[in-house]
Amino acid sequence: MNHEQIKALLNMNAVMKNLEELVLLDSQVAEQVKELDFAIEFSTLFGPKCSVEFKAGQCRVRPGKHHRPRIRLLCFSPAHFNRVMEGKSNPVPVKGIKFLKFLSTEFPKITDRLEFYLKPDNARLADPDYLRINTRFTLNTAVNAVKLLALHDTLGKFNRAHIPNGTVEFRVLPEGPSAVLSFDGDTVEVLDQPCARPSAVLLFKDEQTANDLLNGNSDAFAALATGDVMMKGRIPMIEAINLILDRIPLYLS
Amino acid sequence: MTTTYDYSRSQQLFQRAVKVIPCGVPGHMSPGVNVPAADYPIFTEKAKGATFYDLDGNRFIDYMCAYGPMVLGYNNPLVDNAATEQLKSADLTMGASPKMVELAELLVEMVPVADWAFFAKNGGDVTNYATMIARTATNRKKIVMIQGGYHGVAPWMQPPGHHGLIEEDYSHIIRVPWNDVDAFQQAVDQYPGEIAGFIATPYHVATFYDNELPEAGYWPGIEMICRKNGIVLILDDIRHGFRLDMGGSCEYFGFKPDLICFCKALANGFPISALVGRESLKLDAAKIFYTGSYWNQAVPMAAAIACLTELKRLDAPAVMLENGKKLFTAMQTMAAGYGYDLKVTGAWSMPNIRIANDDTNMLHQQWCAECTKRGVFLASHHNLFMSLAHDEEVISQTLEIVDEAFNALDGGQA
Ligand SMILES: Cc1ncc(COP(=O)(O)O)c(C=O)c1O
């Protein structure tokens, strides 16, 4: 896979994936989607596809085609899709033209909210609610991106080869979000459920610490030394994941 | 029962450090490598014999020995006197020190493989130099090393995927598994006439994993392939050197490399490393321009002469092997009494230990932390080091503290 293809994969399955929680966490978006009952398929020529399905106030973002999308949006290349994600271009509706109004007015409101939560600045982060949601989304994006990079990025694959089978839990204390990555042979998965006996654990003292570290604004070694970030268990798993995490900004900045 | 240690002063100083130094304390002394870091000291105030005191006044029996350099005990009077005397006359001047010749002669006499010696500062200086000599001597590009092997921090030595590296740094590095003669033969077959050197430690000491001794036939097999194919055999004895055999660890395992890299235990903590080699490579070594601002310092050379002479007089490797065996077998028995399986791998003078009941290592990490915050400094994921200062009294004190640490473990019942 080339750079733009991997970036498109990340945009779909790590960044857009946050729509699943956005509809639950943001009241404005929740209100907007509560009546929706259909799926949008994004496809790119020479690149990945994914679908965003709304139903009963929930949202699911899945890789691949959708069996019956109401709307199908086409990009001519992965690079085109990536420009769409940056707000610099538009996809071409090839199915569901009559929902153009939804696409031109409603959907952008949702994606604007997503962007709002994913683009922190100091003023926004001062708001605890914002911090909480941004941290959650950043963690989601990170673990999903690690999964994809471990499978597709050259150095990601190299680092993945050094990760023994097992599970790694990321947890933000005291009651922040958590995520689990599971490695088993050639498969890498993000698990929905906490895991009873993880092979390794990376703990963040609080949301601010997690936020700083995951957004690349703090020094991991220093944070470990002060105890703001703690790790235990099979450290080589965390070290290798860390190197993969550091590759995310090469694709998503 | 001893109380556990408080590290507030270390932590306070760390807050200052982190403002002006990347990582606060960078590299292998970074507290970030300890699990959990909060149970370990950060800054040292003073040291003597087998122990050091941190900034908070806590005393530790040190089983890391500064990652190996300390071998006679901290502030050993003999070595320190030799260094101080040298300092009074001259250290770094606009001329070479006679001590350099003396030290080279000592190494050539002591190490059977050595016909010459060359001095630098760090281990990585000489592992790098060794590969340059191999390339010059063979006019070939490729270097074979062991997966998970550590030879320093020059880009070619680091695993791909780490920061600051580019692909070209390791395009001529071939990594083969440890204890696998066939894998080396395959690499030789795949790149006929292209491999300049093979570099490995005497036995495998990959961080985070059990240590692995060479299987019978491993070194003879590697040696034979090197000879048959004109490949320079480089022994990285930086970590093991003088803890197994005063003639180089190849003597302990019965093989003859072309080049041996020494560093850590060479001068009991004074900064110096050495490359020694066979006569046949002396001209090639001479052709390469390789040096550094401080490589001619006489003080570390004087310290090295004193240190090696004392190690030899005391038959140090044998003593450390024996004392290590006493200590760690006693620890294993104690562990078993608490229901734990303490796995010891590698040589007794620098063993790797691990509580093997839990494959996540969390139990082992907790136990090492419990030992450390009671005064026995144990790293959880690196081989430990014995020194001559770890004598019977120190060993007894160690076992007392270790017993308390076992007691403190969650699941520890007799
Ligand atoms: C086996 C081995 N080789 C090389 C080195 C590198 O030595 P230095 O850190 O002095 O450059 C080390 C250091 O730990 C080592 O253990």
Side-chain angles (χ1 to χ4, degrees):
Chain A
M1 263 191 210
N2 65 31
H3 184 87
E4 291 293 341
Q5 286 170 322
I6 296 175
K7 183 170 173 175
L9 258 188
L10 261 60
N11 269 325
M12 289 179 175
N13 303 300
V15 178
M16 285 215 315
K17 183 94 181 148
N18 287 304
L19 288 171
E20 295 186 353
E21 292 206 329
L22 180 76
V23 303
L24 306 175
L25 296 171
D26 182 273
S27 52
Q28 177 191 318
V29 176
E31 183 59 30
Q32 222 187 321
V33 305
K34 73 175 187 221
E35 305 289 327
L36 301 185
D37 186 1
F38 59 82
I40 309 172
E41 182 184 287
F42 290 85
S43 52
T44 52
L45 291 177
F46 316 109
K49 297 181 172 50
C50 77
S51 66
V52 178
E53 182 167 1
F54 298 101
K55 196 182 180 73
Q58 306 252 355
C59 174
R60 284 283 162 267
V61 180
R62 297 190 184 90
K65 282 187 182 174
H66 191 273
H67 62 288
R68 263 186 68 215
R70 183 177 289 178
I71 301 169
R72 181 175 287 136
L73 300 173
L74 178 70
C75 291
F76 302 121
S77 65
H80 180 197
F81 176 79
N82 293 327
R83 284 198 301 278
V84 170
M85 288 295 288
E86 286 162 18
K88 293 180 184 154
S89 183
N90 289 307
V92 180
V94 291
K95 183 179 176 195
I97 310 282
K98 63 182 175 197
F99 296 99
L100 266 185
K101 178 153 176 301
F102 172 79
L103 288 175
S104 60
T105 58
E106 293 301 306
F107 196 56
K109 282 192 207 155
I110 300 177
T111 52
D112 283 354
R113 280 313 271 175
L114 183 63
E115 192 180 340
F116 167 77
Y117 286 117
L118 287 173
K119 294 258 150 73
D121 58 33
N122 287 344
R124 288 177 181 175
L125 287 170
D127 169 6
D129 287 337
Y130 182 92
L131 176 70
R132 186 171 54 85
I133 297 178
N134 173 258
T135 306
R136 181 177 288 269
F137 286 4
T138 309
L139 179 60
N140 287 345
T141 308
V143 291
N144 282 294
V146 164
K147 167 190 155 168
L148 296 165
L149 293 176
L151 297 171
H152 302 290
D153 170 71
T154 312
L155 284 179
K157 282 191 274 191
F158 183 88
N159 284 312
R160 189 271 165 271
H162 294 271
I163 303 180
N165 288 345
T167 49
V168 181
E169 180 182 62
F170 301 77
R171 178 173 291 281
V172 182
L173 299 172
E175 284 176 355
S178 65
V180 180
L181 269 168
S182 153
F183 297 84
D184 187 5
D186 287 337
T187 35
V188 183
E189 289 298 338
V190 177
L191 304 186
D192 303 335
Q193 299 292 326
C195 136
R197 208 172 158 271
S199 324
V201 182
L202 191 65
L203 296 169
F204 303 92
K205 187 183 74 176
D206 53 29
E207 293 199 311
Q208 189 64 55
T209 305
N211 202 284
D212 285 346
L213 200 87
L214 293 169
N215 282 315
N217 296 329
S218 71
D219 165 355
F221 265 93
L224 281 166
T226 53
D228 288 352
V229 174
M230 285 159 278
M231 57 179 181
K232 58 182 178 173
R234 301 178 80 172
I235 310 299
M237 299 185 84
I238 295 176
E239 285 201 331
I241 289 173
N242 217 359
L243 288 167
I244 304 178
L245 277 171
D246 287 341
R247 295 195 61 76
I248 299 175
L250 299 178
Y251 296 94
L252 305 176
S253 46
Chain B
M1 185 132 208
T2 48
T3 49
T4 56
Y5 291 168
D6 173 80
Y7 301 117
S8 5
R9 280 163 161 245
S10 262
Q11 283 290 349
Q12 275 162 22
L13 186 57
F14 188 80
Q15 294 300 340
R16 273 169 58 197
V18 87
K19 290 199 181 109
V20 288
I21 302 167
C23 289
V25 177
H28 59 303
M29 292 296 174
S30 162
V33 306
N34 298 319
V35 188
D39 284 345
Y40 283 77
I42 304 177
F43 295 99
T44 297
E45 179 124 302
K46 59 181 185 181
K48 181 77 198 151
T51 59
F52 73 94
Y53 290 81
D54 72 0
L55 211 52
D56 291 270
N58 303 310
R59 173 184 185 264
F60 300 88
I61 302 174
D62 186 1
Y63 283 95
M64 286 306 289
C65 297
Y67 279 88
M70 186 276 268
V71 64
L72 282 165
Y74 290 115
N75 289 345
N76 177 271
L78 222 121
V79 178
D80 289 4
N81 281 344
T84 321
E85 284 309 307
Q86 183 60 42
L87 186 61
K88 280 185 204 156
S89 42
D91 186 18
L92 185 61
T93 70
M94 201 43 243
S97 168
K99 290 289 176 205
M100 179 168 78
V101 186
E102 234 183 275
L103 177 57
E105 283 169 350
L106 178 60
L107 279 168
V108 166
E109 183 211 305
M110 214 172 70
V111 178
V113 162
D115 295 314
W116 53 266
F118 171 98
F119 303 104
K121 284 284 136 195
N122 290 299
D125 298 336
V126 289
T127 49
N128 192 53
Y129 185 40
T131 61
M132 290 172 77
I133 294 174
R135 284 171 167 156
T136 297
T138 58
N139 201 22
R140 299 173 187 169
K141 290 183 179 172
K142 299 205 182 293
I143 300 292
V144 177
M145 63 179 280
I146 304 296
Q147 285 165 9
Y150 184 81
H151 304 295
V153 292
W156 70 262
M157 303 169 189
Q158 299 209 27
H162 283 233
H163 290 286
L165 309 186
I166 55 172
E167 258 172 68
E168 288 78 359
D169 289 328
Y170 43 87
S171 54
H172 294 296
I173 302 296
I174 303 164
R175 287 162 199 267
V176 297
W178 170 251
N179 259 341
D180 191 341
V181 178
D182 291 344
F184 181 37
Q185 181 63 56
Q186 276 164 25
V188 173
D189 294 343
Q190 194 181 345
Y191 299 102
E194 290 187 62
I195 297 175
F198 174 94
I199 183 167
T201 52
Y203 68 81
H204 197 45
V205 284
T207 315
F208 297 113
Y209 296 97
D210 293 345
N211 290 177
E212 295 175 65
L213 294 173
E215 283 166 6
Y218 179 69
W219 277 118
I222 296 291
E223 199 177 353
M224 200 177 70
I225 295 172
C226 286
R227 299 289 162 251
K228 222 168 110 186
N229 297 278
I231 296 168
V232 176
L233 178 49
I234 306 164
L235 177 65
D236 176 348
D237 213 7
I238 285 164
R239 194 181 305 185
H240 306 62
F242 314 117
R243 278 189 163 87
L244 296 173
D245 194 297
M246 290 306 292
S249 304
C250 44
E251 298 302 310
Y252 187 83
F253 290 115
F255 68 101
K256 300 275 180 223
D258 299 304
L259 297 168
I260 310 179
C261 312
F262 290 116
C263 181
K264 296 187 184 275
L266 194 52
N268 204 44
F270 284 85
I272 185 164
S273 59
L275 183 72
V276 304
R278 289 181 191 260
E279 184 63 35
S280 57
L281 290 171
K282 191 154 151 249
L283 275 182
D284 294 300
K287 285 178 197 158
I288 299 166
F289 183 71
Y290 200 61
T291 189
S293 293
Y294 296 99
W295 292 8
N296 287 291
Q297 269 187 304
V299 165
M301 292 172 181
I305 293 166
C307 179
L308 290 175
T309 310
E310 183 66 352
L311 289 175
K312 192 150 196 267
R313 184 183 75 79
L314 297 170
D315 197 7
V319 175
M320 288 186 280
L321 284 162
E322 194 186 313
N323 285 347
K325 187 170 183 180
K326 277 188 201 145
L327 169 62
F328 293 104
T329 46
M331 229 186 256
Q332 281 182 307
T333 310
M334 185 185 282
Y338 283 93
Y340 297 120
D341 170 22
L342 188 71
K343 190 167 180 192
V344 183
T345 52
W348 294 109
S349 51
M350 44 178 289
N352 192 81
I353 67 174
R354 178 172 68 87
I355 295 185
N357 303 60
D358 158 31
D359 65 355
T360 70
N361 286 329
M362 290 185 204
L363 182 64
H364 176 64
Q365 289 158 356
Q366 195 193 344
W367 173 69
C368 290
E370 293 294 347
C371 288
T372 301
K373 60 191 187 184
R374 288 173 170 77
V376 170
F377 191 105
L378 297 183
S380 43
H381 297 297
H382 193 282
N383 68 276
L384 308 173
F385 295 92
M386 293 293 288
S387 81
L388 286 180
H390 291 80
D391 55 18
E392 283 183 12
E393 193 187 329
V394 169
I395 289 174
S396 306
Q397 282 175 21
T398 302
L399 288 170
E400 260 177 54
I401 295 174
V402 166
D403 187 46
E404 286 183 20
F406 274 123
N407 245 313
L409 280 188
D410 296 345
Q413 298 124 11

